[in-house]
Amino acid sequence: MRIQAALVESAGGPFTVHDVDIEEPRRDEILVRIAAAGICHTDLSTRQVWPPARLPMVFGHEGAGVVEAVGAEVTGVAVGDTVCLSYRSCGRCGNCGSAQSAYCEAGIAALNATGTRTDGSTPLSRDGERVFGNFFGQSSFASHAIAYESNCVKVPGDLDPVLAAPLGCGVQTGAGTVLNVLQPAAGSSLVVFGAGGVGLSAVMAAVSEGCSVVAVDPVASRRAVARDLGAVAALDPADVDDVAAAVRDLTSGGPHSALDTTGRSAVISQAIAALRNRGALALVGIGKPAELDIMTVMTKGIQLRGVIEGDAVPQEFIPRLITLHEQGRLPLEKLITPYPFSRIEEAAQAAAGGEVIKPVLTFA
């Protein structure tokens, strides 16, 4: 079937829309007509370093749409179902069986970040030449995507796909890290370093739990959104001599928990310094190897926790996020800027430059 997809044809190159062909779904696959797709920092950073041998490539891992066809072995969704797409897992290993599919023993990278199915094939082609895809088991920067039961979540048919799309990764990661991992008590304090889509999703979730939240980000517009979402303060790190001291002053001696979305060694060190004794730090940002002050971590009794996808099982957690939105406790619309699919590179540049928080592509 002929579809449209946004290709990256050189490492660091732009997203450009082309006609490509997509195979019919195999016995364990699901064909989804994409209605909306969020652009995530992972899409933008990965295209910069994607191996030239696996180009052209179709990225996109926050898709939402309608099921158009299913393979013979698919039982969890049916043609016509409205779905949100998330990360892929094997569904058979010990971690998947114990509600820890974000740490699938088959390898999250192997299932989500190779550019092919597990057998090395790809469902996409252009003029008979292979186009790499299957990113997060979807490659949703396209009018249609092949997905799987493990990353396909049924959602209400009347849910705006522009709101549904970011639930599959960015919102799930930020809100999940708060609700599933840190689990802050009402009245406790939390600091979020980095107020992009993930960080602001964490802000929303923490505020919904009755926490006192401080956001730290250099972009004024993002700090303004953090305050609008209920953060008690939003700091520009360039405006204070000592970020950790400023956070401690705002939280009566240090926050109970912290979340870093930046993956930057210097910022992680600020988080450790800011936390009160026996505080908890969740790391969700992927970056270069970081140097940590182990003595401070030990003497303060800091709990460090790496987190993938908010420790969320999509089929269980995405409906919870939808309920929070329906209750007015997760106002996702305050983060989203819609763009037509034809303007994908413009949307990507706006996200990379900090002009928008969460661009979501729409398909006619």
Side-chain angles (χ1 to χ4, degrees), residues 11 15 21 38 76 108 125 129 139 206 209 243 279 290 314 330 350 353:
F15 296 110
D21 293 305
I108 288 295
S125 62
E129 298 294 325
S139 285
E209 293 294 289
V243 172
L330 202 73

Side-chain angles (χ1 to χ4, degrees), residues 291-314:
E291 294 184 3
L292 303 180
D293 183 351
I294 298 300
M295 183 60 71
T296 299
V297 171
M298 292 176 63
T299 57
K300 293 178 69 173
I302 301 298
Q303 301 175 59
L304 291 178
R305 175 70 146 76
V307 184
I308 295 294
E309 293 287 348
D311 270 24
V313 177

Side-chain angles (χ1 to χ4, degrees), residues 75-88:
T75 60
V77 297
V79 173
D81 283 344
T82 303
V83 295
C84 171
L85 304 182
S86 186
Y87 69 90
R88 188 182 177 196

Side-chain angles (χ1 to χ4, degrees), residues 42-318:
T42 300
D43 299 304
L44 304 181
S45 60
T46 305
R47 73 163 170 172
Q48 300 296 324
V49 298
W50 196 256
R54 290 181 176 266
L55 293 171
M57 175 69 186
V58 179
F59 292 97
H61 64 287
E62 292 183 343
V66 178
V67 175
E68 287 206 339
V70 299
E73 296 179 2
V74 174
T75 60
V77 297
V79 173
D81 283 344
T82 303
V83 295
C84 171
L85 304 182
S86 186
Y87 69 90
R88 188 182 177 196
S89 57
C90 77
R92 299 182 298 274
C93 70
N95 281 343
C96 286
S98 59
Q100 293 296 332
S101 55
Y103 308 98
C104 175
E105 293 164 20
I108 288 295
L111 291 174
N112 293 273
T114 63
T116 65
R117 299 179 174 109
T118 54
D119 66 1
S121 67
T122 173
L124 304 173
S125 62
R126 179 176 56 164
D127 299 327
E129 298 294 325
R130 179 158 65 167
V131 170
F132 292 90
N134 215 247
F135 193 58
F136 280 68
Q138 52 181 287
S139 285
S140 52
F141 289 166
S143 61
H144 294 73
I146 292 290
Y148 301 84
E149 286 194 82
S150 68
N151 70 328
C152 201
V153 181
K154 288 196 288 188
V155 298
D158 59 355
L159 178 64
D160 185 347
V162 171
L163 295 176
L167 298 177
C169 184
V171 177
Q172 175 172 262
T173 297
T177 300
V178 172
L179 300 175
N180 299 329
V181 179
L182 294 173
Q183 298 182 335
S188 67
S189 54
L190 179 145
V191 58
V192 176
F193 289 88
V198 172
L200 289 171
S201 295
V203 170
M204 285 189 285
V207 169
S208 78
E209 293 294 289
C211 297
S212 176
V213 182
V214 175
V216 181
D217 196 281
V219 180
S221 59
R222 293 181 175 185
R223 295 196 303 273
V225 174
R227 287 189 291 267
D228 185 44
L229 291 172
V232 297
L235 294 179
D236 182 348
D239 282 350
V240 294
D241 293 330
D242 186 332
V243 172
V247 171
R248 288 195 301 270
D249 288 344
L250 288 166
T251 55
S252 301
H256 298 86
S257 54
L259 187 153
D260 174 70
T261 72
T262 72
R264 297 177 182 174
S265 181
V267 178
I268 293 170
S269 295
Q270 291 171 350
I272 291 170
L275 281 164
R276 67 180 60 198
N277 288 359
R278 303 190 72 247
L281 170 59
L283 305 174
V284 305
I286 297 174
K288 297 179 180 179
E291 294 184 3
L292 303 180
D293 183 351
I294 298 300
M295 183 60 71
T296 299
V297 171
M298 292 176 63
T299 57
K300 293 178 69 173
I302 301 298
Q303 301 175 59
L304 291 178
R305 175 70 146 76
V307 184
I308 295 294
E309 293 287 348
D311 270 24
V313 177
Q315 287 76 9
E316 298 174 3
F317 193 61
I318 288 175

